[in-house]
């Protein structure tokens, strides 16, 4: 007990010293803390209204349109990073660290290419719903006495033909229903226009913003968009007939040719299946060639999706 007395005295003097500092500097410390809280609150508000970079906005919207709220950008990025490390671990055993890093980069780029193809395809399908969407919006807009919120609710609850744009309108409706901030409404409608990425979608998003934020009647503007979409329909049909053959060759001929060469190698050249799989995936040369085939196939599909399958627009 006697040995603990000096320790207790030290703790007592230390506590008195700390309490004295708090008594003397308590006001300044509280003021500094309040100032820090205000700065953090302003920084959070600034980030909320700050426009994101185009690539970041594309990444977020691509994941949101493809997977919904199930997969966040951080989750997808972690998955790609795991693929990159896994590919390096496998490739370093047969091709060295330098080539394994290149191999890992190509292998981990495949999910991004697949995401780009998926998102571009959904954008294209959504763009072809423009004429139906504008027609239905004009009808519901007049029936709801020019109330844009009620118009969006009616479209979301009905119109089975709008498979892609209905999901985007639902996200837009939830965003503008839960806020009265003009900047938040502008950000939500901008995201809707970017999700389809056409002239008519951006014009529609701007009209929805005007109707929701200012209560302006946008009937004439919607009718003008509909007229331009009907004029663009004939050009789209002609371009679609010209592009079907190239798309079929890429999607079906390339995988079929690979399978046919595999079958010919095993059946007519007498190579055992185990030896063929070992040479293809267990050696450096075979693995690199297979990766190049897979990578170039996805690149070709992505380029066809972007260049040939254009959106329905004017």
């Amino acid at each position: 007990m006697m040995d603990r007395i000096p320790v207790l005295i030290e703790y007592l003097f230390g506590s008195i010293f700390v309490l004295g500092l708090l008594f003397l500097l308590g006001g300044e410390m509280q003021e500094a803390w309040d100032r820090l809280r205000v700065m953090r609150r302003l920084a959070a508000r600034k980030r909320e209204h700050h426009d994101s970079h185009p690539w970041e906005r594309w990444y977020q919207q691509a994941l949101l349109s493809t997977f919904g709220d199930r997969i966040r950008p951080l989750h997808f990025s972690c998955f790609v990073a795991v693929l990159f490390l896994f590919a390096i671990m496998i490739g370093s055993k047969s091709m060295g660290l330098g080539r394994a890093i290149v191999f890992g980069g190509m292998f981990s780029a495949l999910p991004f290419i697949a995401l780009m193809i998926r998102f571009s395809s959904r954008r294209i399908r959504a763009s072809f719903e423009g004429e139906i969407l504008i027609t239905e919006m004009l009808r519901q807009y007049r029936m709801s006495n020019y109330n844009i919120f009620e118009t969006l609710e009616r479209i979301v609850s009905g119109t089975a033909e709008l498979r892609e744009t209905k999901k985007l309108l639902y996200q837009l409706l939830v965003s503008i229903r839960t806020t009265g901030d003009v900047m938040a409404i502008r950000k939500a409608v901008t995201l809707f226009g970017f999700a389809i990425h056409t002239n008519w979608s951006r014009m529609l998003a701007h009209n929805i913003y005007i109707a929701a934020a200012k209560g302006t009647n946008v009937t004439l503007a919607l009718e003008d968009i509909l007229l331009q979409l009907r004029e663009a329909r004939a050009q789209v049909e002609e371009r679609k007939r010209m592009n079907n053959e190239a798309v079929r060759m890429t999607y079906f001929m390339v995988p079929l040719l690979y399978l046919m060469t595999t079958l010919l190698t095993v059946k007519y050249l007498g190579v055992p299946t185990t030896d063929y799989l070992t040479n293809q995936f267990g050696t450096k040369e075979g693995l690199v060639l297979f990766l190049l085939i897979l990578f170039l196939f996805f690149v070709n599909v992505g380029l066809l999706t972007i260049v040939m399958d254009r959106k329905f627009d004017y």
Side-chain angles (χ1 to χ4, degrees), residues 113-264:
I113 296 175
L115 179 66
M116 181 194 69
I117 295 172
R118 176 81 172 177
F119 184 44
S120 299
S121 299
R122 298 196 71 162
R123 272 180 163 179
I124 292 169
R125 291 197 299 268
S127 69
F128 278 90
E129 297 177 0
E131 194 173 349
I132 302 175
L133 174 62
I134 301 299
T135 303
E136 183 67 16
M137 181 164 286
L138 271 171
R139 189 173 69 88
Q140 298 294 346
Y141 192 53
R142 293 189 179 102
M143 292 177 61
S144 60
N145 197 19
Y146 309 107
N147 187 324
I148 193 63
F149 296 100
E150 186 177 349
T151 301
L152 295 178
E153 288 179 355
R154 291 186 177 187
I155 295 175
V156 169
S157 60
T159 318
E161 295 87 356
L162 302 176
R163 296 183 179 180
E164 299 294 336
T165 52
K166 185 189 293 187
K167 302 174 185 177
L168 300 174
L169 285 175
Y170 175 75
Q171 298 171 4
L172 174 63
L173 180 61
V174 171
S175 299
I176 65 178
R177 271 291 194 189
T178 55
T179 181
D181 189 9
V182 176
M183 293 298 297
I185 296 176
R186 179 186 290 274
K187 186 176 181 180
V189 298
T190 302
L191 193 61
F192 169 79
F194 180 78
I196 306 176
H197 203 56
T198 57
N199 292 327
W200 70 259
S201 67
R202 286 188 286 267
M203 291 295 296
L204 176 61
H206 181 68
N207 289 324
I208 293 175
Y209 166 74
I210 293 176
K214 302 179 181 180
T216 307
N217 190 332
V218 294
T219 304
L220 294 178
L222 294 177
E223 290 177 349
D224 183 64
I225 296 173
L226 182 60
L227 289 176
Q228 296 186 61
L229 287 177
R230 286 175 177 172
E231 292 177 359
R233 171 66 62 180
Q235 300 178 2
V236 170
E237 293 297 332
E238 180 65 23
R239 187 174 64 240
K240 187 176 180 181
R241 285 194 298 268
M242 296 173 60
N243 294 337
N244 282 336
E245 184 177 353
V247 172
R248 288 196 206 97
M249 289 179 63
T250 302
Y251 275 92
F252 298 108
M253 288 298 295
V254 173
L256 183 61
L257 286 174
Y258 180 79
L259 293 176
M260 289 296 296
T261 54
T262 302
L263 180 62
L264 291 173

Side-chain angles (χ1 to χ4, degrees), residues 55-93:
W55 66 267
E56 183 181 358
R57 186 169 51 182
W58 182 93
Y59 190 33
Q60 294 175 353
Q61 187 59 45
L63 290 174
L64 185 63
S65 300
T66 305
F67 302 107
D69 295 330
R70 299 187 300 273
I71 297 180
R72 303 284 183 178
L74 179 61
H75 301 159
F76 191 80
S77 300
C78 291
F79 171 72
V80 173
V82 170
L83 283 181
F84 178 69
L85 296 176
F86 179 73
I88 290 178
M89 291 175 58
I90 294 178
S92 60
K93 297 179 181 180

Side-chain angles (χ1 to χ4, degrees), residues 296-312:
L296 293 176
F297 173 72
F298 275 99
V299 169
N300 196 8
V301 172
L303 291 176
L304 279 175
T305 303
I306 295 173
V307 176
M308 301 185 68
D309 291 341
R310 289 185 178 180
K311 304 181 186 74
F312 177 57

Side-chain angles (χ1 to χ4, degrees), residues 29-63:
M29 294 174 65
Q30 182 66 36
E31 182 179 355
W33 173 251
D34 293 339
R35 189 177 300 173
L36 180 62
R37 290 178 59 187
V38 171
M39 291 175 62
R40 291 180 61 186
R41 189 178 304 168
L42 290 175
R45 182 67 60 87
K46 185 177 179 180
R47 286 194 303 268
E48 182 180 352
H49 295 288
H50 180 67
D51 292 334
S52 57
H53 295 285
W55 66 267
E56 183 181 358
R57 186 169 51 182
W58 182 93
Y59 190 33
Q60 294 175 353
Q61 187 59 45
L63 290 174

